[in-house]
Amino acid sequence: MQESIELLVDIPFEYRHTCWFCGEPSDQFVTFPHARHIVLACPHPKLTLPSCRECRQLAYQTKVEHVWHLRDQVKVGLIRKYRKDLAIGINWTPEELANAGFEGGNFESFQRSAWFMYEVARDRVNYRGWLLSLGGEDIEHETNALSFDFDGVYYPSINEAISHFSQNFGFNRQVLVKTLAIVGTEQFAKAVRFCRLLVAATPDEVNAALAELKAQQAK
């Protein structure tokens, strides 16, 4: 796919070799909208953005209506691809890894590199890019009211956070949804802990636990 370099967004000097989507070094470009995806009501002009190879591939796999939604969908792709790396920050602290006692064993390399892998994945997901302009004209930013920030990681939506945690901890996604409906999204950590207790529970046990939680919240 041939990008329109004449539509390249203004790039601040300090970001001249930076992927707009994730902050990694860029050697590619992404044009949006592009010929394979017709957008009838795009709120901004056609834009070409610097990108790394991975984010470029993710960007051209999605169909959205504006560049900020495109960025969020690229983030979704990164979260899903690096789910195991992001899970390191859920299951470990740097201190716990340093004292895990894996030296000399099969997990020694994991102990050395795990936190670095987590930080790289986290920082790519959290990266916000610079404010966009084209030919000196600012492009109005479309805010995403659905974004969700939890435990140091930015998720494009609460649904993506729910999927991420339910997959990592192996509990039913819908149980977490029902739990959050009871305790509220501001108690996301409590909801995750509650669901982890129910991983091996039967449907009747889950329903009983949810009913008890609801009664506790009503007090």
Side-chain angles (χ1 to χ4, degrees):
M1 183 179 297
Q2 183 65 40
E3 282 79 16
S4 302
I5 304 302
E6 68 271 12
L7 301 174
L8 184 64
V9 296
D10 301 333
I11 304 174
F13 181 80
E14 62 271 28
Y15 298 120
R16 63 193 183 281
H17 301 302
T18 303
C19 174
W20 183 76
F21 298 95
C22 76
E24 287 287 291
S26 63
D27 61 352
Q28 306 281 310
F29 294 96
V30 169
T31 295
F32 181 87
H34 55 83
R36 296 182 187 176
H37 175 41
I38 297 173
V39 181
L40 297 178
C42 186
H44 57 74
K46 180 179 285 191
L47 304 171
T48 296
L49 306 112
S51 171
C52 66
R53 190 174 301 273
E54 188 171 34
C55 287
R56 181 183 188 273
Q57 183 178 20
L58 291 169
Y60 282 132
Q61 289 174 350
T62 188
K63 294 183 178 181
V64 292
E65 300 303 312
H66 54 72
V67 72
W68 299 279
H69 194 193
L70 177 68
R71 178 182 63 187
D72 285 348
Q73 289 306 299
V74 169
K75 302 293 188 184
V76 168
L78 292 174
I79 289 170
R80 293 176 180 174
K81 184 168 184 177
Y82 295 103
R83 178 174 62 85
K84 292 182 179 179
D85 293 328
L86 290 169
I88 293 167
I90 299 172
N91 296 311
W92 299 85
T93 66
E95 294 75 21
E96 288 171 340
L97 280 170
N99 299 306
F102 292 149
E103 293 84 355
N106 294 333
F107 294 101
E108 183 175 1
S109 61
F110 170 79
Q111 182 177 356
R112 289 197 307 267
S113 63
W115 194 256
F116 172 76
M117 293 160 54
Y118 162 69
E119 289 183 318
V120 170
R122 177 202 63 194
D123 292 348
R124 292 184 72 190
V125 169
N126 287 351
Y127 186 76
R128 305 303 295 146
W130 56 91
L131 296 177
L132 293 179
S133 61
L134 183 65
E137 294 290 327
D138 291 342
I139 298 170
E140 186 177 353
H141 177 245
E142 295 284 330
T143 58
N144 185 357
L146 300 178
S147 62
F148 182 72
D149 194 353
F150 177 72
D151 201 25
V153 178
Y154 168 87
Y155 298 90
S157 70
I158 182 69
N159 286 327
E160 193 58 37
I162 289 170
S163 296
H164 178 67
F165 278 85
S166 60
Q167 289 175 22
N168 275 312
F169 289 126
F171 52 68
N172 187 291
R173 184 185 189 280
Q174 198 58 30
V175 175
L176 180 53
V177 171
K178 291 179 179 179
T179 304
L180 289 168
I182 295 171
V183 303
T185 57
E186 67 278 3
Q187 296 193 70
F188 193 87
K190 177 180 178 179
V192 169
R193 290 195 300 270
F194 177 80
C195 290
R196 292 184 70 181
L197 297 174
L198 301 175
V199 168
T202 66
D204 287 343
E205 290 171 337
V206 170
N207 289 334
L210 288 169
E212 182 178 351
L213 180 64
K214 188 172 183 179
Q216 291 174 354
Q217 289 293 117
K219 291 181 180 179

